[in-house]
Amino acid sequence: MKSIDRYMVRLIAVPLFSTLVIAAMLLVLDRMLRLFDFVATQGGPVSVVWRMLANLLPEYLGLGIPIGLMLGVLLAFRRLATTSELDVLRGVGMSYGRLLRVPYYYAITLAALNLAIVGYVQPIARYYYEGLRFELRTGALGASIKVGEFTHFGDSMTLRIEQSRDKGRELSGIFVHYDNPKGASYSVTARQGQFLATDDPNTIIFRLTDGTLIQGDPKFRAPRVLTFSAHDLPIPLPRSERFRVRGGRNLEFTLPELARLGQTAASEAQRASSRSEFHFRIVEVATMFLLPMLAVALGVPPKRSTSSLGVFMGVVLLVTYHKINEYAASFGELGRVDPVVALWGPFAIFAALVVWMFHTVAYVPGGQPIGALERVFSKAGSAIARRVPGRSRRAAA
């Protein structure tokens, strides 16, 4: 690589990976709060939150990589333009096409990575994520017993504990009620208790100390009352149901599986749904090859301007186009529009817009595709600044 290429690699790398890390962290933090709330509500262990977030990370990378690529190239060219380095490079014969060589190295590499993520890694991770949610709901991951609340083990046993010490090893103020299938019922109160494991993975022993047991049975005239100093109460754990096989949703199919279902699915609705999801993922990856040209068009501001409007417009355009693709995929799944037309039509329009913007910057003397917006925002900013309270007094002074 020549010196200019190595220089471009360094310029793009820092904002690209910084944006990717920040975007992933923001998405993870947003989901983390909701996952903590969900896990706490279901009574599962806190450690499962990190496993769920790990399975969501491929989905976040699929969204963050295009944004990171665009902002990395955009901020690199904006720095070249605002420091007049771009004028020097253009003056020695460097064309915009030559300067885009390194950005397209990045684009090809990241597009291949993104294709592997959305095509193969993300569907498998999404299935594991849904499996963890299922296990939390069914109690297969182990339910935590909340102090001061009634905890139900299946339909036959209810447990309440007043106090818990030493991380749950010492329990006090215990109430247990159990109904067996034959119609008998048992109510137990005890001063202390401790859970013990057994050889049977579906049963645990609750060892109670200093308590009273009341046994009720339709055969008895009156309930039997028993006081004890120590009593072992077996607690059958609820059997967890088996989670469904992968493929309950289109998000869990890999790209080859979607392509096959789009041709061989039994119903027309399933074929349309599979084709729509397949084309949505391919379009999202293909869009990455347009991002270097879009970044150059928005990253080079007008002469004697330091406006950051291009950065704002780049994010807005990319997010808006992503939402349009999501709506188009939804229409394609319903069968109202052919998925090829619904998804590749907006892609063609977006590609034409990007090519026009790049051509204006690269080949039209003094061309600036967002020059009109720059002027409008500049005038609007000046008008707002003049009406800021206290500004007129400072100007008069």
Side-chain angles (χ1 to χ4, degrees):
M1 298 179 68
K2 295 184 178 180
S3 299
I4 183 59
D5 293 328
R6 292 194 295 269
Y7 182 56
M8 292 294 296
V9 167
R10 292 194 299 269
L11 275 183
I12 297 173
V14 175
L16 189 156
F17 292 109
S18 300
T19 303
L20 185 59
V21 170
I22 293 173
M25 288 178 61
L26 291 175
L27 292 170
V28 165
L29 288 174
D30 175 64
R31 183 58 68 90
M32 185 187 299
L33 298 177
R34 287 181 283 174
L35 286 180
F36 270 118
D37 181 66
F38 173 73
V39 172
T41 302
Q42 299 296 330
V46 176
S47 60
V48 75
V49 173
W50 313 118
R51 294 164 60 188
M52 297 177 80
L53 287 175
N55 287 317
L56 286 176
L57 193 58
E59 181 178 345
Y60 296 152
L61 289 177
L63 296 173
I65 287 176
I67 295 177
L69 172 64
M70 188 196 67
L71 289 181
V73 178
L74 190 152
L75 293 176
F77 273 86
R78 186 175 186 276
R79 177 179 173 181
L80 290 175
T82 54
T83 57
S84 300
E85 291 177 271
L86 184 61
D87 295 332
V88 175
L89 293 172
R90 296 281 290 154
V92 297
M94 285 279 185
S95 65
Y96 279 101
R98 173 63 180 83
L99 292 174
L100 278 176
R101 178 183 296 179
V102 171
Y104 267 100
Y105 289 160
Y106 275 106
I108 293 170
T109 303
L110 293 177
L113 176 62
N114 204 21
L115 181 64
I117 290 175
V118 302
Y120 300 93
V121 179
Q122 181 179 323
I124 307 298
R126 187 71 187 191
Y127 173 71
Y128 290 148
Y129 171 79
E130 294 295 338
L132 289 173
R133 286 175 60 90
F134 175 83
E135 291 177 353
L136 276 173
R137 292 194 185 99
T138 57
L141 291 174
S144 61
I145 299 174
K146 300 177 181 179
V147 176
E149 299 183 14
F150 289 97
T151 302
H152 301 282
F153 290 88
D155 298 328
S156 59
M157 179 170 288
T158 302
L159 172 66
R160 189 177 189 273
I161 295 174
E162 289 289 343
Q163 294 182 357
S164 174
R165 294 185 295 272
D166 193 17
K167 298 182 179 179
R169 295 184 180 90
E170 296 182 10
L171 307 174
S172 59
I174 298 165
F175 168 79
V176 181
H177 180 81
Y178 173 70
D179 296 317
N180 69 7
K182 298 181 180 181
S185 63
Y186 301 87
S187 297
V188 184
T189 60
R191 184 174 60 86
Q192 290 182 341
Q194 183 180 12
F195 286 106
L196 302 175
T198 65
D199 295 335
D200 185 1
N202 296 320
T203 304
I204 60 174
I205 294 295
F206 197 13
R207 180 159 293 174
L208 303 173
T209 306
D210 299 336
T212 302
L213 184 149
I214 302 175
Q215 180 183 3
D217 195 293
K219 301 176 182 179
F220 301 157
R221 293 183 178 179
R224 293 179 178 179
V225 180
L226 171 69
T227 59
F228 57 84
S229 58
H231 178 70
D232 288 345
L233 181 66
I235 297 180
L237 297 176
R239 295 184 178 181
S240 59
E241 303 175 14
R242 295 188 62 184
F243 187 49
R244 57 175 172 80
V245 296
R246 184 173 61 86
R249 302 169 59 189
N250 280 332
L251 292 176
E252 298 172 6
F253 287 119
T254 62
L255 279 177
E257 291 169 343
L258 288 172
R260 185 172 61 253
L261 284 173
Q263 302 296 327
T264 62
S267 64
E268 180 64 30
Q270 188 175 5
R271 288 196 296 271
S273 177
S274 301
R275 292 178 62 227
S276 180
E277 180 66 23
F278 175 83
H279 286 288
F280 172 76
R281 297 188 197 178
I282 295 298
V283 164
E284 289 286 300
V285 175
T287 302
M288 295 184 63
F289 294 101
L290 300 174
L291 297 183
M293 290 190 291
L294 177 64
V296 171
L298 297 176
V300 180
K303 296 299 182 182
R304 297 181 298 278
S305 172
T306 58
S307 172
S308 300
L309 179 62
V311 180
F312 171 75
M313 288 299 300
V315 175
V316 169
L317 280 174
L318 193 57
V319 172
T320 302
Y321 177 65
H322 175 72
K323 289 299 179 182
I324 291 174
N325 280 342
E326 288 184 342
Y327 290 132
S330 300
F331 276 104
E333 289 180 359
L334 295 175
R336 298 177 181 177
V337 183
D338 187 273
V340 175
V341 177
L343 287 158
W344 290 101
F347 175 81
I349 296 173
F350 184 70
L353 176 64
V354 170
V355 171
W356 171 78
M357 294 174 69
F358 176 74
H359 179 269
T360 302
V361 167
Y363 300 106
V364 177
Q368 178 55 240
I370 58 171
L373 284 177
E374 290 269 3
R375 292 189 291 272
V376 170
F377 272 79
S378 178
K379 292 178 180 179
S382 301
I384 293 173
R386 286 196 300 270
R387 288 167 174 77
V388 172
R391 181 178 176 85
S392 58
R393 291 195 297 271
R394 289 197 301 270

